[in-house]
Amino acid sequence: MRTRIAVAAVVLLLLLAGCSSGRPGGGDGKVVLRFQSLAWQPESVAATKKLVREWNASHARVKVEYVQGSWDSVHDQLLTSFEGGEAPDVLHDASDDLADFAHGGYLADLTGLLSDRLKSDIPQSSWDTTRFGDGVYGVPFLQEPRVLIANTKWLRGAKVRVPTPEHPWTWTEFRAVTKKLSGPGKYGVAWPLKEPVSATLNLSLSAGGRLFHQDADGKVRVRFGSGDAVVPRTVHDQVAVDHSAPASTLGSGGSDTLPGFFGGKYAMVPLGFSYRQQVALQAPKGFDWEVLPAPAGADGLTQGVSPQTLSIAADSPHKKEAAAFLDFLLRPRNMVRLALGDWMLPTGTEALKDPALHTRKDGWATGTALAAHLRPAPAQSVRGYPEWKDKVATPAYQEYYSGSIGLSELRRRLERDGNLVLARYQR
């Protein structure tokens, strides 16, 4: 009898020790948080790992274990880990990937977990990217406007007006400039549109495009209006009418266009802000380049973004400790370190004031000037968006840009076929 009691007591102690140790931890009473990071650039990985080490050095009871993830597979990997009960406590993702996870109950509502400092430091427009229903399911911390990377010598030689954030090109002016910059074997712009949907939708906000509309019954439907047509028509006409943009780059990623850009084949390439790092590292000696704002439309320089986010798993047993780690990671100076490592912009208002983000070198000042114009991407909270994008929008935009279909067929596919997809997620 005493033996059974002793065994039971040992089992109980082991269970209690396991409960207090965190999912991957030991039995020493410490909490171990698993933090899955998607940092991939060497500077970004180094900055993130250094911050984890600083946290661990100053927190004896709560330790953070760094786990490397990948942008290429993060959605499926997280879904599998959520369903298997093996999700990291703290996870790095992008706001446009959170909707289905939030609605599925996989992410913790952060409303009552975050510090007042962090909540007030990040603008409401950024928080709107991670709000689904009445809850907030991620902290938006890095954002990336789309800009034009331009060959300075080419622009100056053509004597075109060089745009600034205060006086940007209109979409009409942009088309005219790319025509003027073009010549035999040379193009005014190269559009890398292997992933055409987010680029098109986010830039279309400047022209008043919204595409997704919530009707009176609460359901979201696709309606392709005049504002939604401005950017697609510009790209289509540059490729198929003006021949100021090559069709050959439409299926390319951003990095694929850089050799042609450096080789004097394209005057400009529209890219995400973080591509400046590759340009700075790979540009030939003496190659002079600069960062220009994307064209402006009826709504000025407004463009959509899907910030990088940090979330807490709903089944994490240590949500308060995880929230404290987020607060440390996203202190203004630390947010600047992460932004510089990723060559992106921080969302925090205090971090955005840092002098390092306002230098002319590598176009930092131009990007920072665009921060006030960034809004949630149109598809931010649309359930079923990943399927709509992959099965309907991507092939439709690709065929339109290549000239295989016209604008009316593009509209028909996005609306008719797209709404059939979205309807399945809104029953």
Side-chain angles (χ1 to χ4, degrees), residues 1 6 9 12 40 55 62 77 85 159 171 181 220 233 310 334 345 347 361 381 401 412:
M1 179 70 175
L12 179 59
W40 65 276
W55 166 275
V62 181
Q77 179 264 320
K159 293 183 170 54
W171 284 101
L181 292 172
V220 175
R233 186 184 288 119
L310 294 171
N334 292 345
L345 298 179
T347 57
K361 180 175 170 54
S381 59
Y401 288 144
R412 186 185 71 82

Side-chain angles (χ1 to χ4, degrees), residues 97-320:
D97 192 41
L98 298 185
D100 289 343
F101 293 148
H103 289 294
Y106 295 123
L107 301 178
D109 181 1
L110 304 180
T111 303
L113 291 171
L114 302 176
S115 69
D116 290 339
R117 179 204 65 78
L118 185 57
K119 287 188 285 190
S120 62
D121 185 48
I122 296 175
Q124 188 59 49
S125 59
S126 294
W127 285 118
D128 287 344
T129 65
T130 59
R131 180 175 295 280
F132 304 98
D134 295 327
V136 173
Y137 295 92
V139 182
F141 72 108
L142 292 178
Q143 54 192 346
E144 182 174 26
R146 294 182 184 273
V147 294
L148 299 172
I149 309 293
N151 182 319
T152 300
K153 183 177 179 180
W154 197 335
L155 258 63
R156 298 303 191 276
K159 293 183 170 54
V160 298
R161 183 181 75 82
V162 178
T164 64
E166 295 74 27
H167 301 286
W169 287 327
T170 65
W171 284 101
T172 300
E173 189 177 5
F174 173 56
R175 182 180 170 189
V177 166
T178 58
K179 287 174 67 176
K180 185 173 183 179
L181 292 172
S182 299
K186 294 186 175 183
Y187 299 92
V189 65
W191 285 96
L193 291 175
K194 183 178 181 180
E195 300 288 343
V197 181
S198 62
T200 303
L201 269 57
N202 289 340
L203 289 172
S204 290
L205 284 184
S206 69
R210 294 298 181 272
L211 200 65
F212 297 100
H213 300 266
Q214 187 170 34
D215 293 337
D217 60 3
K219 294 184 177 180
V220 175
R221 294 180 174 87
V222 177
R223 287 198 294 276
F224 188 89
S226 58
D228 299 298
V230 172
V231 173
R233 186 184 288 119
T234 299
V235 177
H236 172 276
D237 289 354
Q238 285 173 325
V239 173
V241 179
D242 305 336
H243 305 294
S244 59
S248 59
T249 65
L250 292 176
S252 302
S255 300
D256 301 327
T257 61
L258 294 183
F261 176 61
F262 298 144
K265 193 172 182 180
Y266 324 121
M268 293 179 286
V269 185
L271 294 169
F273 196 52
S274 65
Y275 275 91
R276 296 170 304 123
Q277 188 205 36
Q278 292 185 48
V279 176
L281 291 175
Q282 298 174 16
K285 186 176 181 179
F287 184 86
D288 195 7
W289 60 279
E290 60 189 296
V291 177
L292 309 177
D299 285 357
L301 286 169
T302 301
Q303 60 173 282
V305 290
S306 298
Q308 292 188 23
T309 58
L310 294 171
S311 300
I312 298 174
D315 67 350
S316 171
H318 305 295
K319 294 182 181 65
K320 289 184 179 179

Side-chain angles (χ1 to χ4, degrees), residues 196 388-400 405 413:
W388 174 85
K389 179 186 71 172
D390 293 342
K391 294 184 178 179
V392 177
T394 295
Y397 278 116
Q398 286 176 335
E399 290 182 45
Y400 175 66
I405 62 174
R413 290 196 194 180

Side-chain angles (χ1 to χ4, degrees), residues 52-104:
V52 169
R53 289 197 299 270
E54 290 176 10
W55 166 275
N56 287 336
S58 58
H59 292 78
R61 194 181 71 84
V62 181
K63 298 299 183 181
V64 174
E65 175 188 319
Y66 181 96
V67 179
Q68 186 63 60
S70 169
W71 285 108
D72 293 336
S73 58
V74 65
H75 182 87
D76 292 341
Q77 179 264 320
L78 283 176
L79 183 60
T80 299
S81 65
F82 284 137
E83 293 179 342
E86 296 294 333
D89 299 274
V90 178
L91 54 105
H92 183 181
D93 203 351
S95 58
D96 61 357
D97 192 41
L98 298 185
D100 289 343
F101 293 148
H103 289 294

